[in-house]
Amino acid sequence: EIRLSLVGSEMCIETGVTLQHPGVKFLYFLSGRIAYRYGSKTVSVGTGDSLLFDATSLHGIEAVDSGPVSYLSVLLALRD
C-alpha cells in the first residue's frame, strides 16, 4: 500500500505531535524550514531536502523555523 499526502501550512501544521505507524516514510520538503524528529535524531530540513525512515520510530515536527511549510509525504506499508 502506498499513501501519498501533500502537507502545507494551510493545514495547520502542529509541532510536538508524535506519530508512529507501520511502514517506511519518505518526506520531500517543498518550502519552509523545520526541525523534524525521527527516532532519537532531530534534523533541520528545508526546501529540496528529503528524509527516508522507518515509520515505526516515533516521528514528527519539532519546530517550524521559517514558513510557509509544505512537503510531500509518502508512506509505504505492506498489506496483511
Side-chain angles (χ1 to χ4, degrees):
E1 177 179 3
I2 299 174
R3 291 187 218 155
L4 178 66
S5 303
L6 179 60
V7 181
S9 292
E10 66 281 354
M11 301 174 85
C12 292
I13 291 175
E14 294 184 54
T15 60
V17 174
T18 302
L19 305 169
Q20 184 180 36
H21 43 83
V24 174
K25 186 167 271 193
F26 172 77
L27 303 177
Y28 180 76
F29 296 89
L30 302 167
S31 66
R33 179 159 289 282
I34 63 170
Y36 197 90
R37 181 179 41 81
Y38 61 99
S40 62
K41 299 178 183 182
T42 299
V43 295
S44 178
V45 291
T47 305
D49 291 336
S50 61
L51 295 173
L52 178 68
F53 57 90
D54 180 351
T56 61
S57 297
L58 295 174
H59 59 279
I61 297 173
E62 285 292 305
V64 176
D65 298 327
S66 66
V69 173
S70 62
Y71 60 93
L72 181 64
S73 173
V74 180
L75 176 65
L76 306 165
L78 295 175
R79 290 186 179 181
D80 292 333

